[in-house]
Amino acid sequence: MHANLQTAVRGRVWKFGDSIETDAINPYYRYPTMEELKLHTMEAYRPEFPKEVKPGDILVAGRNFGCGSSRPGLVLREVGIVAIIAESVARLFLRNSIARAIPIFMAPGITGIVEDGQLLEVDYPNRIVRSPASGASVELRAFPPLIEEIFAAGGLPEYAFQRYTREVRGS
């Protein structure tokens, strides 16, 4: 599964604070396989998360999400998170997420409109995130067209292969 930016999603919120570190998102130094990582992701911040997260859930975070080392967040997709919405995202984590088509978005003000466990609607085509409970919404920051193409392809390796194939056939 990869990010489909053309479809709105709705899911239950897992709300986290600021500066969520990659060591907690992807603690591969202790758990080297994906199956083990799925049992331990985010437990440093919320011990119940790996046991209770469900496919279709949405992760909401404050500023500087994914700070720390260069660890990807694939495990979040593997446990079923359909979107990550943060006030801001650490540069390297954002780049890694885009490269693997992990649906990650910046929406300043997001932590003020939704609470843990509530439903949230993420509508990238209309650049808005809405809380059905309160009716409040915030704007999603748009990606440049090239980034949208990378998401549509399923990630950077897939995009590069598709582009290469088009160019070879076109010459």
Side-chain angles (χ1 to χ4, degrees), residues 117-141:
Q118 290 181 333
L119 287 178
L120 189 67
E121 296 173 351
V122 182
D123 185 352
Y124 183 78
N126 291 305
R127 309 297 190 267
I128 195 161
V129 181
R130 282 184 288 276
S131 167
S134 68
S137 64
V138 293
E139 185 179 338
L140 278 175
R141 290 198 177 150

